[in-house]
């Protein structure tokens, strides 16, 4: 953590009397730093500070998972958005599980830096990535990530319309509704397949299986309509070396639930596994791996961690 000579946190002035965007950023980051430096023994300290700030109406919680929570700053934060060149609505991703949440933020920031340099790349899949990647930037000298705010899938009209049909329990089956929208809605399922195929080509990804992780998607509103986007880039890293099957040497590909390949009985085991967790496979019928099932398969999180050990 760095301070300037005036003890202002990279221009964020610590105001005690009235909560400002500057003081809120400092308060959140100080909680993270105190936890990292073991100045506090409570591993839930950052989450507790977030909850306290919510009760004080300094921030609003708009989402989150195990490693991070997404919040909105309540006071005006125009200056912050100008500094980051992010003029629209933004959320702040606050790491609450350390150091995992910090790593997630750093990966999201690295992703967007790479994508921002690909504007002239003619590859159609890279064009999909460039058009869907949410601006994600580390706030200077903090562990906080600012990200473009979009509509979470559970708040989308696609999900609301399905719930309104009366076919789902809105409390007990919200995850199922999100899953069904991603995999069975004609418009959304097509966008989901195109999205995963594009990101899989250039990035190693995990936690993006619609069966297991339907919450990690949302919709950006554009002139052309609602655009499906990835919300969580914590398990996204640019490929700097080939991702190949350790058995046959063919490329490992992300398994998309419902894809045509899974209809082949030779991939019965993979079809079952992909309905419960994210998976990679070489999708090679000749890859036996000394087993009775076609094609090597491995959980996406295991592939991701193995790949990023050297990245």
């Amino acid at each position: 953590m760095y301070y300037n000579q005036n003890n202002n946190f990279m221009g964020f002035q610590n105001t005690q009397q009235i909560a400002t965007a500057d003081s809120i950023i400092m308060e959140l980051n100080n909680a993270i730093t105190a936890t990292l430096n073991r100045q506090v023994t409570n591993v839930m300290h950052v989450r507790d500070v977030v909850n306290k700030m919510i009760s004080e109406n300094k921030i609003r919680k708009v989402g989150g998972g195990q490693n991070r929570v997404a919040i909105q700053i309540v006071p005006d934060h125009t200056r912050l958005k100008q500094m980051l060149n992010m003029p629209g609505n933004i959320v702040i991703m606050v790491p609450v599980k350390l150091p995992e949440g910090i790593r997630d933020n750093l990966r999201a920031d690295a992703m967007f830096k790479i994508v921002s340099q690909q504007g002239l790349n003619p590859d159609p899949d890279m064009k999909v990535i460039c058009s869907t990647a949410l601006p994600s930037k580390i706030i200077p000298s903090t562990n906080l990530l600012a990200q473009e705010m979009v509509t979470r899938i559970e708040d989308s009209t696609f999900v609301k319309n399905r719930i309104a049909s009366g076919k789902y329990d809105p409390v007990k089956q919200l995850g199922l509704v999100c899953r069904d929208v991603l995999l069975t809605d004609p418009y959304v399922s097509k966008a989901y397949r195109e999205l995963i195929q594009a990101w899989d080509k250039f990035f190693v990804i995990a936690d993006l299986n619609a069966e297991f992780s339907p919450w990690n998607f949302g919709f950006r509103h554009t002139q052309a309509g609602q655009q499906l986007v990835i919300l969580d880039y914590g398990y996204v890293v640019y490929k700097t070396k080939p991702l190949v099957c350790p058995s046959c040497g063919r490329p490992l590909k992300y398994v998309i639930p419902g894809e045509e390949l899974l209809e082949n009985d030779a991939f019965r085991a993979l079809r079952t596994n992909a309905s419960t967790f994210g998976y990679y496979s070489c999708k090679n019928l000749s890859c036996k791996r000394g087993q009775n099932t076609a094609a090597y398969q491995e959980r996406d999180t295991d592939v991701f961690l193995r790949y990023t050990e050297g990245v």
Side-chain angles (χ1 to χ4, degrees):
M1 185 166 67
Y2 300 93
Y3 293 86
N4 63 22
Q5 291 181 343
N6 296 322
N7 202 34
N8 290 335
F9 189 67
M10 282 297 292
F12 298 116
Q13 299 176 357
N14 187 10
T15 303
Q16 297 296 327
Q17 294 83 0
I18 301 174
T20 65
D22 299 353
S23 66
I24 287 168
I25 290 168
M26 175 175 282
E27 186 174 355
L28 288 168
N29 199 68
N30 283 347
I32 296 167
T33 303
T35 305
L36 286 174
N37 293 342
R38 299 183 179 179
Q39 295 170 326
V40 294
T41 57
N42 178 13
V43 295
M44 301 292 289
H45 177 63
V46 180
R47 197 179 292 273
D48 289 345
V49 169
V50 167
N51 289 334
K52 178 180 73 71
M53 295 175 73
I54 292 172
S55 69
E56 295 169 344
N57 199 35
K58 295 177 180 178
I59 60 176
R60 285 189 293 265
K61 183 179 177 180
V62 294
Q66 184 178 16
N67 295 346
R68 302 178 295 170
V69 296
I71 62 100
Q72 273 189 299
I73 297 175
V74 172
D76 179 77
H77 47 285
T78 302
R79 191 169 70 90
L80 171 64
K81 294 194 292 183
Q82 290 173 341
M83 180 190 72
L84 296 171
N85 192 25
M86 298 175 70
N89 292 331
I90 62 172
V91 296
I92 307 300
M93 304 300 293
V94 183
V96 291
K97 183 179 181 182
L98 307 178
E100 291 85 350
I102 294 175
R103 285 200 293 262
D104 290 352
N105 277 353
L106 290 173
R107 287 171 184 152
D109 178 83
M111 171 281 299
F112 189 67
K113 285 178 179 175
I114 290 171
V115 172
S116 298
Q117 299 169 0
Q118 302 296 320
L120 298 179
N121 191 323
D123 188 288
D125 287 319
M126 182 53 77
K127 290 185 179 298
V128 170
I129 292 173
C130 289
S131 69
T132 59
L134 298 181
S136 306
K137 302 178 182 181
I138 292 288
I139 298 174
S141 297
T142 77
N143 295 299
L144 305 170
L145 180 85
Q147 183 171 293
E148 177 187 341
M149 184 176 183
V150 296
T151 301
R152 300 181 303 168
I153 187 170
E154 59 264 41
D155 298 324
S156 69
T157 55
F158 294 100
V159 168
K160 289 180 178 178
N161 289 342
R162 292 214 173 196
I163 291 176
S165 71
K167 297 179 180 179
Y168 299 89
D169 184 317
V171 177
K172 297 179 180 179
Q173 296 183 305
L174 185 57
L176 177 62
V177 186
C178 296
R179 175 264 182 206
D180 287 354
V181 166
L182 286 168
L183 296 181
T184 66
D185 180 272
Y187 171 78
V188 180
S189 62
K190 181 176 182 292
Y192 172 69
R193 290 192 300 271
E194 292 175 349
L195 196 66
I196 297 302
Q197 287 169 358
W199 283 89
D200 182 37
K201 185 173 183 178
F202 290 95
F203 290 81
V204 182
I205 57 179
D207 209 17
L208 294 175
N209 180 311
E211 295 274 14
F212 184 74
S213 307
W215 312 104
N216 286 341
F217 298 89
F219 292 93
R220 173 194 273 152
H221 298 278
T222 70
Q223 291 182 343
Q226 297 188 65
Q227 180 188 48
L228 183 70
V229 297
I230 295 170
L231 287 184
D232 189 342
Y233 300 96
Y235 283 88
V236 172
V237 66
Y238 189 66
K239 289 181 181 176
T240 57
K241 57 184 178 182
L243 181 63
V244 298
C245 171
S247 178
C248 69
R250 297 278 290 275
L252 281 180
K253 297 289 186 179
Y254 203 78
V255 178
I256 302 174
E259 65 177 294
E260 186 176 350
L261 176 85
L262 298 180
E263 298 304 315
N264 188 322
D265 284 341
F267 291 93
R268 187 185 304 111
L270 181 59
R271 180 170 66 240
T272 300
N273 288 337
S275 68
T276 59
F277 204 87
Y279 269 82
Y280 270 93
S281 171
C282 64
K283 303 182 181 181
N284 176 13
L285 277 167
S286 301
C287 179
K288 297 296 183 180
R289 240 192 113 216
Q291 301 178 358
N292 294 324
T293 57
Y296 175 85
Q297 56 181 272
E298 187 177 359
R299 282 192 170 195
D300 59 359
T301 50
D302 292 338
V303 171
F304 186 88
L305 293 174
R306 176 165 52 81
Y307 184 90
T308 54
E309 281 181 359
V311 176

